[in-house]
């Protein structure tokens, strides 16, 4: 859990796409793949969205200073706060929120 939370914080600090972080994210999700096979998570909204846990809802946008993403469980019995990500790019904001949601699901 703490590894994913640390990775989320590192993603939020990025100024833009980063292939090293992409490789670290991929290693956390697909340990059998090599660094050269990592998808560009930090550069693609579509690829970042693949890390949003199944069954959760994602809402995202941008403000004047940063991009943001909120991920939550949209069922009537859910009363928690959304998992949030704030970053300089939309893919990174989505990734940070998705990694936090995954950390919570892992317990």
């Amino acid at each position: 859990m703490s590894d994913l939370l640390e990775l989320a914080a590192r993603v939020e600090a990025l100024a833009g796409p980063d292939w090293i972080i992409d490789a670290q994210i991929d290693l956390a999700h697909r340990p059998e793949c090599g660094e050269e096979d990592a998808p560009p998570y930090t550069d693609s909204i579509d690829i970042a969205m693949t890390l949003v846990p199944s069954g959760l809802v994602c809402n995202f946008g941008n403000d004047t200073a940063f991009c943001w993403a909120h991920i939550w469980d949209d069922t009537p019995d859910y009363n928690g706060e959304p998992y949030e990500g704030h970053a300089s790019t939309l893919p990174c904001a989505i990734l940070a929120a998705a990694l936090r949601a995954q950390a919570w699901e892992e317990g």
Side-chain angles (χ1 to χ4, degrees), residues 9-99:
R10 292 183 65 205
V11 166
E12 282 184 320
L14 293 175
D18 187 300
W19 70 269
I20 294 172
I21 297 291
D22 291 337
Q24 292 172 346
I25 292 168
D26 205 43
L27 182 62
H29 293 89
R30 302 182 319 155
E32 71 281 358
C33 294
E35 288 182 3
E36 65 279 353
D37 298 328
Y41 294 106
T42 58
D43 195 30
S44 169
I45 292 171
D46 291 335
I47 294 173
M49 289 293 293
T50 66
L51 296 184
V52 174
S54 180
L56 299 185
V57 177
C58 184
N59 184 20
F60 51 83
N62 64 323
D63 200 343
T64 55
F66 58 85
C67 297
W68 54 267
H70 297 158
I71 296 174
W72 71 97
D73 182 348
D74 197 25
T75 58
D77 59 337
Y78 178 74
N79 61 357
E81 294 292 318
Y83 306 102
E84 297 182 352
H86 301 93
S88 63
T89 68
L90 203 44
C92 289
I94 294 167
L95 280 173
L99 291 167

